[in-house]
Each structure stands twice: as C-alpha cells, then as structure tokens.
Amino acid sequence: MPRRRIGFWYRFAAVLCKPWLVVLIKRDWRGMEHIPAEGGFITAVNHNSHVDPFAYAHFQYNSGRVPRFLAKSGLFKEGFVGAAMRGTGQIPVYRESTDALSAFRAAIDAVERGECVAFYPEGTLTRDPDGWPMTAKTGAARVALQTRCPVIPVAQWGANELLPPYAKKPDLLPRKTHHVLAGPPVDLDRFYGHEMTPELLKEATEVIMAAVTGLLEEIRGEKAPETPYDPRRERIEQRRRTQAEAASQTAAGNGAETDGAQIEGAESGRARTGRAKTSHEGESGK
C-alpha cells in the first residue's frame, strides 16, 4: 500500500518514536487489510493507556495511511508542540463551539480531503475496572453520518500492560505485546438520510462500539460485560452513596445530641432534687 500524505513532521515523529516502540513492545497486528487504500475514512479505537496513541499510530503508520488524531484546539497554538501538531496534520477540536457539528468541522474537512481521522469514541481512558470500552460520545458517529465515510473498528490491548490507565510508572519487564485487530467497516446504512437526533447518534455510536468491543473480545478470548461501564451513571451513584452516608452520619449525630440532651436533663433534674432535699433538711434543723 503506498505511503501518501505523510510529510516531514510525521516521518520525523516516526524516527523519534519507532525505535523506542520496537524495543519496548512486541507486536501482534491483524486486520491491516481492512484499512482503506484510498479515500477518507474513520477509525474508532478503544483507549486504555497513555501509551496506546503512539503504539496504535505505529500500527497505522505501517499501513501507509497515517492517522490524524483529534486533540484540543489549544495544543495547536504555540511552541514546538503546536508546530508538531500542525505539521503532522492532527485535528483540532473546538470544544468552545456551541454548534456540535461545527466542533468537528476540521475532522469532517479532513475526511472529505481523503484523510484518515482516528477517533477515541470514549473520549478518555477507560475507567472500566477490567479495561473494557466504556459508553462513548457521539462525535465519531456524527462525522461518519455527515460524510458517509467508512468507519473501521479497531481494538487494541497490551499498551495498558506496559502502562496501566492512570499509572505513573511503566512496567517494562517482561516485554509486553501490543495486540491490534482491525475489522471490516461498520454497517451504518440504516442511519443515513435521517435527522441526526441525539437518539439516532446514540444508537449509531452503540453500533460502532459494539464492533470495537467484539474485536477486543476476540483479542482477549473472553466476553465483555453486557452493559458497558458508564462514568456518568457511576458519578450519579457515587453522589447518591455520598449523600446517603452524609445523611446517615447526620442522623447518628442528631441521635447522639438527643441522647446527650436527655442525659444532661436527667442529671440536671437529679441536681435540682438534691438541692431541694438539702434545703428542706436545713429548714427542719432550724
């Protein structure tokens, strides 16, 4: 497959990164034949390590179709990082936009120019305790339905064993294997020609993520949970648990105050009785 539109900056990044990746990680790459040779397309990839963007970029660089990742627009503004982001053709996401479609305008333009745009639909590292894909945001589905481009599901596993999610230090030994499995395009035909309502985008996103999760099941040789981990639902549940604990502590505190008041009242009553008795005995002595 010919290498096209790679350019100086991407080649420079490859010169810097590939030797380290080759030393640190063994490779088990499958499904590269599903990466389109021509035209714009999207890859939807699961995200489970801060290392996996580099490891996955290595996979797709070797396919001849380099990925253009989405990143915060602020990273493109100044300095070496900004120059590298612009030079490698990464895609700025304008999160300050009030129009959801405009926020992904650069990604739509890149697809229409014939580029590959790599989406992490989860939006961040998975928080699933076992590393399975979480519920996803709808950006990939939105761009796919707008452009009607192929969506290639990709699952990866192994970079997370080198550097687990949210870990600060890598686990270098024994040498880890980075597994990548790309699948055939996701069938989204039934979603075309309809208004892009939140419900439609949610359903299309679930279809995309089901394909990614199915590939990860094949890599891992086990079944994913029936219901994907939902960080929003988990935050709600955590908030409810926190409120319930606070209410329980408050009730316990109020109960202690009531008991204390009762004890104090009883002691005060005994003191008054004692003073009255002493006064009475004093008067009798007179």
Side-chain angles (χ1 to χ4, degrees):
M1 193 179 295
R3 293 174 182 248
R4 299 170 294 106
R5 297 188 179 94
I6 292 180
F8 166 78
W9 277 100
Y10 231 121
R11 293 186 187 279
F12 179 61
V15 168
L16 292 178
C17 297
K18 284 180 70 173
W20 289 101
L21 293 169
V22 170
V23 169
L24 293 174
I25 306 175
K26 296 182 286 186
R27 296 175 301 284
D28 172 29
W29 291 349
R30 294 176 286 156
M32 202 174 283
E33 68 274 10
H34 295 301
I35 302 297
E38 300 291 339
F41 66 101
I42 288 171
T43 56
V45 193
N46 66 304
H47 190 17
N48 54 27
S49 172
H50 287 301
V51 174
D52 68 41
F54 300 97
Y56 169 68
H58 187 192
F59 163 81
Q60 203 171 313
Y61 182 92
N62 279 26
S63 78
R65 301 298 307 274
V66 295
R68 313 298 185 183
F69 290 95
L70 281 82
K72 293 184 294 185
S73 58
L75 295 174
F76 293 75
K77 293 180 179 179
E78 298 178 356
F80 177 80
V81 172
M85 296 293 283
R86 294 190 301 270
T88 54
Q90 306 313 311
I91 309 295
V93 177
Y94 299 97
R95 293 181 177 176
E96 64 274 12
S97 173
T98 56
D99 180 355
L101 195 58
S102 296
F104 293 100
R105 173 51 59 189
I108 292 170
D109 291 344
V111 169
E112 292 176 343
R113 288 195 308 269
E115 299 284 355
C116 165
V117 178
F119 273 88
Y120 282 130
E122 298 160 274
T124 186
L125 290 172
T126 182
R127 291 186 174 88
D128 181 271
D130 296 317
W132 293 102
M134 304 186 295
T135 56
K137 302 181 184 301
T138 61
R142 189 181 295 275
V143 174
L145 297 184
Q146 175 71 16
T147 61
R148 300 197 180 191
C149 70
V151 178
I152 308 301
V154 182
Q156 59 178 338
W157 187 259
N160 55 301
E161 295 175 341
L162 173 65
L163 184 67
Y166 308 105
K168 295 182 179 179
K169 294 183 179 180
D171 181 10
L172 300 177
L173 296 175
R175 189 168 171 232
K176 309 303 187 289
T177 299
H178 182 229
H179 304 271
V180 180
L181 179 58
V186 180
D187 183 4
L188 298 176
D189 286 352
R190 68 181 182 275
F191 300 108
Y192 296 148
H194 299 283
E195 181 184 356
M196 283 197 287
T197 62
E199 293 76 17
L200 182 81
L201 290 169
K202 181 176 182 293
E203 186 178 351
T205 299
E206 290 172 350
V207 170
I208 293 170
M209 291 308 296
V212 175
T213 303
L215 295 172
L216 188 57
E217 288 178 334
E218 186 174 340
I219 289 175
R220 295 177 60 174
E222 54 186 302
K223 293 293 291 181
E226 290 187 8
T227 303
Y229 181 91
D230 185 343
R232 180 179 298 178
R233 183 172 62 239
E234 181 61 26
R235 285 194 298 271
I236 293 171
E237 290 300 322
Q238 181 60 45
R239 190 155 49 241
R240 287 175 179 170
R241 288 193 293 269
T242 301
Q243 291 172 348
E245 290 173 3
S248 176
Q249 291 172 358
T250 300
N254 290 339
E257 290 177 4
T258 300
D259 292 342
Q262 291 174 344
I263 293 171
E264 184 178 349
E267 290 177 346
S268 177
R270 285 196 295 271
R272 287 195 300 272
T273 302
R275 287 196 299 272
K277 183 177 180 181
T278 301
S279 175
H280 176 71
E281 289 175 350
E283 292 178 358
S284 298
K286 292 179 181 178

